[in-house]
Amino acid sequence: MKRLIPFLFLLSAPAYADITSSISSSVKLEVSAAATAADRIGNSYSVSGTGVNTTDGTTAGSLGGLGAATNGVNAYTPITASQLTDGESFNYTVSHTTGDTIGTSLTTGEVSAFGDLTSTSGGTVGDLDGTIDNHVIGLTAGGAGTSVTGQYTTSVTVD
């Protein structure tokens, strides 16, 4: 009998395992809302130079610039530059950007006329459709600004 014990272990024994399966289907329909993104452009002023005389028309040596703001736009004082010494080298640079006016009487849904606008219209449903029938997914494109996504997932887990 002792000689048969090693052979008993070679006989196949039943295997036990947990098997889990999962099947799912989904459809997602989206219609985009109308949207506007607005970025206001601000006021800026820059001046630099060498070998020049400057004036704002009243005061010699004035560098001009930005003054008080009204509805978001600064007053601007321009300057005139002339060569300091005839025949000598000089350079002169001036840059001015007038900012966007801030609207004072906007109502809901209106956007100020800012310098940087991006606007999209709302989506239209049209024929947008999605169906699931016994894990068969049917998708129909809608109008502009819409999207439809279908998904079928199967998983098997063996422990």
Side-chain angles (χ1 to χ4, degrees):
M1 181 70 174
K2 288 183 183 179
R3 290 184 189 166
L4 292 178
I5 289 178
F7 293 109
L8 289 176
F9 289 114
L10 294 177
L11 296 175
S12 65
Y16 298 99
D18 291 328
I19 298 176
T20 305
S21 68
S22 156
I23 301 172
S24 66
S25 301
S26 65
V27 171
K28 177 177 145 184
L29 306 172
E30 283 185 338
V31 179
S32 299
T36 298
D39 292 320
R40 181 176 173 267
I41 295 176
N43 299 279
S44 68
Y45 177 77
S46 170
V47 62
S48 66
T50 59
V52 292
N53 287 317
T54 60
T55 181
D56 63 4
T58 304
T59 307
S62 173
L63 296 178
L66 300 177
T70 303
N71 291 337
V73 177
N74 291 93
Y76 170 60
T77 304
I79 59 172
T80 302
S82 59
Q83 187 176 18
L84 183 62
T85 305
D86 289 344
E88 296 289 324
S89 65
F90 70 96
N91 68 37
Y92 172 73
T93 304
V94 65
S95 172
H96 172 242
T97 300
T98 301
D100 293 326
T101 302
I102 298 172
T104 57
S105 62
L106 292 176
T107 59
T108 302
E110 289 182 343
V111 178
S112 288
F114 288 161
D116 185 4
L117 290 174
T118 302
S119 186
T120 56
S121 62
T124 54
V125 175
D127 295 327
L128 182 64
D129 188 32
T131 60
I132 300 174
D133 183 17
N134 198 24
H135 301 296
V136 175
I137 298 173
L139 305 174
T140 304
T146 66
S147 69
V148 59
T149 305
Q151 178 176 323
Y152 179 80
T153 306
T154 303
S155 66
V156 176
T157 306
V158 179
D159 288 335

